[in-house]
Amino acid sequence: MKTADTGDLWWKSAVFYCLDVETFRDTDGNGAGDFAGLTDSIDYLADLGVNCVWLMPFYPSPDRDDGYDIIDFYGVDRHLGDHGDAAEFIRTARSRGIRVIVDLVVNHTSDRHPWFQQAKRSRTSRFRDYYIWRDDRPPNSENKVFPGEEESVWEWERRTQQYYQHTFYRHQPDLNLGNPAVRDEIAKIMAFWLTLGVAGFRIDAVPFLLSHPGSPDATGDPHEFVRDVKRFARRRSSECLLMGEVNLPHKQQVAFFGADTDELDAQFDFTTMQATFLSFVRQDARPLRRALRSRPAMEEPVGWVNFLRNHDELTLDQLSAKERDEVFAAYAPDPEQRAYGRGILRRLAPILDGDPRRLRLAYSLLFSLPGAPMLFYGEELGMGENPEIPGRGAMRSPMQWTPGRNGGFSSARPSQLRSPVTTGGYGPEHVNARTSAQDSESLFHFVRTLAYRHRSTPEIGWGELEVIDTDAPGVLVHLLSSPFGAFLAEHNLADEPATVTVELPEQLRGRTVIDLLGPEQFTLDESARLTLELPAYGFRWLRAVEDDGPLPSGI
């Protein structure tokens, strides 16, 4: 493993927390969350152990795609506050050791963006080439992102008598990234938010960004655009993180890191996430083992971001049709719980039937996987989806702070809320932050412990991975080794107890082993062999260090 300046690679050991300003906390009673509410919530986030907040789009928008249809990349939606409020949140978060990254959504704009409004008035508009136009609809133009909602990726514009391209919704015309003027605009957008204090960007849907005719050079290398973005980001900020949404198999993701890490710094691991749910359904660790072993060995200091749920459907597109049907049958038996033939519109707690054992197992696994964990707001409480909200919005209901009206999210009348609060068994009277904080046995406190242990165990973010075979098909054992020490995690995905014997590398002989989630401490004998008994859905976190080596904080 190469060493690097960890000051510039802070994200290698980060705990990410994704939230939507609009649904997190409302302070002015207008029914929408706001930046002032976010600032008021800093203590909560810091106590949870989060050290990087990823903000979903908060820019001015018609809100036809939950804010991803943007009309001003430099603005703040008036319902959420203003630039002063945003800057105050970023500054306050930084003072508590929490960095902030924001969504960079440059695949497209809203069709109400001033650029597109000008572009569609005349073929001679200076903004015309900001977008992609054709006289005739190209063949093979079906929409593969939102099948059933959009038939084509080309939409007829009557005034200028041409088709414009939209990879996503028709109200989101694709930007022409091959146009130097567009790329200059993107650089200015990044510079603006970096100057305001953000620590990086989550880049939306990167493969689509580079695969359409408006990529920087349709006959050359479209990755040059990402390299250009990386060079600009590094010039402006040595700490700037470029984290990409790349839902591809591991082998194909390598290209998006680039040679000598000259593209993305980190990518979400969709392959491992999907294999995790297949392993959960089968109570068999083998799909997960295969996924982890398929991660390419990377010499450069790039990283993976692990997640179980996010703001979109739980996508299963990398599984075979048979495997996908297995997961659907177990976790989304109602067709209304499915989306686009590939995903599940549910949060994790309802998927796992609210079973505390399985939830703790899932989060223990998430925080122990090599890389950085990402939580979606409310996961730490066991929040459920709101099936009354159509589509992906079901996962984006308001944060539940108290058992009171609107879950303490807002003082507005329920009818005024931009998004309704979840009701039923996962409603705020049963699931909320106040009650969870007061209960030392709650999921919140468990996730909090995992966050602190993850941040104080550098092997998880920096170590070299070895997946260890066992005789128990339901048990995953993985070892992460680094100059700091060695971290061993064992997870029993089955509903029956298991006993496994693990052969560890010889260099760990004689080392002190600390149970990071319990009181046990012992010394490895000369065989460097461990026999572990795991209850149903049980797990262990063990760290082997030299007798005079560093220990995690709190031990």
Side-chain angles (χ1 to χ4, degrees), residues 401-413:
W401 293 101
T402 72
R405 190 172 85 161
N406 299 329
F409 162 73
S410 172
S411 61
R413 294 193 301 273

Side-chain angles (χ1 to χ4, degrees), residues 287-301:
L288 187 49
R289 290 177 197 163
R290 287 193 295 269
L292 288 171
R293 284 172 172 155
S294 75
R295 274 191 182 183
M298 304 296 296
E299 288 297 317
E300 301 299 331

